[in-house]
């Protein structure tokens, strides 16, 4: 029981001194940059030979981007490291508690010693929050269900690091991609279009309008074209444990099988 509790608490969030978002709600489990540094040394010594300096050498696994075969939670990572995986092709590596904490923090920062390690909670709870209290499905589409006005998140776990997902939730302004922005457009015919930009080249812009129609507009036909610099998200009001659960769910979204 004691171990279980410890494992559950073994969830972490680091914001370095220079970090941009508030620590207040996340201060339960903090890893210092020293822990991450320890992790980078452990990595070089015990893991890099097989997984490569950037974590991508083992087929189908990309440690820095949080892409594993089975592991999702920090607990899964501990188990894979301490007991090995895939019938011994991944050997058990015996590490001290401090080294283990370090290596997990290092993986969760996406191998950025300057980065912030991210708490990963429970997938099922995260799904419940995503569809319920978090109201994410009011805007986001997953596996063919939900509106198209916000980015489709069906494979978000395969294309974003845990750190990027966390930023989207707790510091959305710093996570805003250049392309994924709200736009307000007025055409020469006087039509006013609001939507979200998907793509743009020199002459045209593609967007999803408020009625969820995919549209491509020729720029020379526009009288005004405003791109919003503010994110749609407010920083989330979910608790740090809830954010950890939602991130676990997002990481499990890797496209439909
Ligand atoms: C001798 C080579 C070798 C070493 C050393 C090694 N690994 Fe692995 N690791 C593998 C292989 C091979 C797999 C893929 C297993 C599979 O096919 O599922 C793997 C899988 C993993 C996985 C994914 C488990 C899953 O559930 O998908 C993680 C995480 C991992 N390794 C972390 C580490 C870390 C951290 C270290 C250093 C402490 C390390 N490995 C050292 C070879 C190695
Ligand atoms: C009011 C609509 C709305 C709600 C509710 C909403 N989102 Fe978003 N979300 C967006 C939009 C629009 C974007 C695109 C970036 C922007 O404009 O902020 C976005 C971006 C994201 C991204 C980044 C996508 C990428 O490509 O990196 C993630 C992750 C995300 N949202 C997750 C969530 C989660 C989890 C919830 C629920 C807790 C949620 N969103 C609730 C509208 C919404």
């Amino acid at each position: 029981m004691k171990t279980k509790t410890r494992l559950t608490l073994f969830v972490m969030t680091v914001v370095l001194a220079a970090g941009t978002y508030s620590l207040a709600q996340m201060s339960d489990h903090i890893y210092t940059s020293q822990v991450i540094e320890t992790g980078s040394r452990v990595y070089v010594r015990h893991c890099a030979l097989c997984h490569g300096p950037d974590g991508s050498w083992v087929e189908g696994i990309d440690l820095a981007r949080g892409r594993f075969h089975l592991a999702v939670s920090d607990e899964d990572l501990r188990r894979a490291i301490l007991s090995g995986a895939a019938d011994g092709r991944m050997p058990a590596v015996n590490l001290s508690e401090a080294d283990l904490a370090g290596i997990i923090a290092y993986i969760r920062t996406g191998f950025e010693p300057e980065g912030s390690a991210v708490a990963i909670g429970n997938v099922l709870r995260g799904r419940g929050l995503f569809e319920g209290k978090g109201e994410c499905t009011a805007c986001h589409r997953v596996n063919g269900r939900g509106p198209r006005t916000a980015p489709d998140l069906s494979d978000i776990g395969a294309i974003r690091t845990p750190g990027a997902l966390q930023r989207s939730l707790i510091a959305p302004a710093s996570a805003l991609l250049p392309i994924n922005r709200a736009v307000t457009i007025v055409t020469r015919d006087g039509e006013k279009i609001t939507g979200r930009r998907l793509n743009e080249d020199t002459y045209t812009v593609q967007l999803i309008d408020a009625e969820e129609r995919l549209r491509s507009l020729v720029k020379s036909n526009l009288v005004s074209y405003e791109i919003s610099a503010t994110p749609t998200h407010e920083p989330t009001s979910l608790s740090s444990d809830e954010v950890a659960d939602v991130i676990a769910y997002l990481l499990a979204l890797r496209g439909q099988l």
Side-chain angles (χ1 to χ4, degrees):
M1 186 59 206
K2 191 152 170 259
T3 334
K4 178 101 192 300
T5 319
R6 281 216 351 250
L7 290 179
T8 320
L9 289 177
F10 190 77
V11 148
M12 58 226 163
T13 303
V14 178
V15 178
L16 299 178
T20 44
Y21 31 83
S22 148
L23 246 184
Q25 57 165 348
M26 314 292 269
S27 56
D28 278 353
H29 343 273
I30 297 178
Y31 272 123
T32 61
S33 47
Q34 271 153 334
V35 173
I36 299 174
E37 268 229 22
T38 304
S40 82
R41 280 198 303 272
V42 174
Y43 184 80
V44 171
R45 200 170 337 118
H46 293 284
C47 326
L49 195 64
C50 296
H51 286 280
D54 68 348
S56 72
W57 284 6
V58 172
E59 170 105 49
I61 291 179
D62 189 341
L63 296 177
R65 303 190 70 80
R67 194 170 302 160
F68 315 114
H69 285 159
L70 301 168
V72 175
S73 67
D74 291 348
E75 224 172 299
D76 298 335
L77 290 178
R78 290 171 71 96
R79 210 174 303 124
I81 295 165
L82 291 177
S83 328
D87 301 324
R89 283 197 302 126
M90 154 87 186
V93 185
N94 192 12
L95 296 178
S96 71
E97 194 58 33
D99 285 355
L100 198 52
I103 189 68
I104 293 177
Y106 184 62
I107 291 173
R108 292 304 193 198
T109 58
F111 283 24
E112 294 167 42
E114 321 283 84
S116 44
V118 175
I120 314 285
N122 175 282
V123 179
L124 280 181
R125 277 202 310 267
R127 181 179 183 164
L129 289 161
F130 188 88
E131 292 169 355
K133 183 177 173 190
E135 296 178 351
C136 317
T137 44
C139 298
H140 288 287
R141 188 174 182 85
V142 171
N143 295 339
R145 285 175 52 205
R148 290 194 171 80
T149 41
D152 187 320
L153 299 180
S154 304
D155 64 354
I156 197 75
I159 61 176
R160 298 280 178 260
T161 61
L165 295 173
Q166 175 167 276
R167 280 194 296 279
S168 288
L169 294 174
I170 68 181
S174 71
L176 203 58
L177 300 173
I179 201 68
N180 239 342
R181 301 206 173 182
V183 290
T184 308
I185 286 174
V186 180
T187 67
R188 279 185 190 210
D189 311 338
E191 187 189 4
K192 186 174 173 192
I193 303 167
T194 55
R196 184 171 56 82
R197 179 168 63 163
L198 296 176
N199 198 8
E200 177 171 344
D201 60 32
T202 315
Y203 303 107
T204 66
V205 52
Q206 285 75 43
L207 56 92
I208 296 264
D209 73 12
E211 278 84 55
E212 299 189 11
R213 290 173 303 195
L214 176 62
R215 306 190 52 170
S216 181
L217 303 168
V218 178
K219 286 184 186 171
S220 60
N221 287 340
L222 309 178
V223 288
S224 82
Y225 175 19
E226 282 165 38
I227 302 162
S228 167
T230 31
T232 306
H233 288 188
E234 297 281 319
T236 184
S237 57
L238 296 174
S239 73
S240 56
D241 286 346
E242 290 170 331
V243 167
D245 291 340
V246 169
I247 291 174
Y249 173 63
L250 294 173
L251 283 172
L253 296 176
R254 274 142 201 269
Q256 275 175 306
L257 298 174

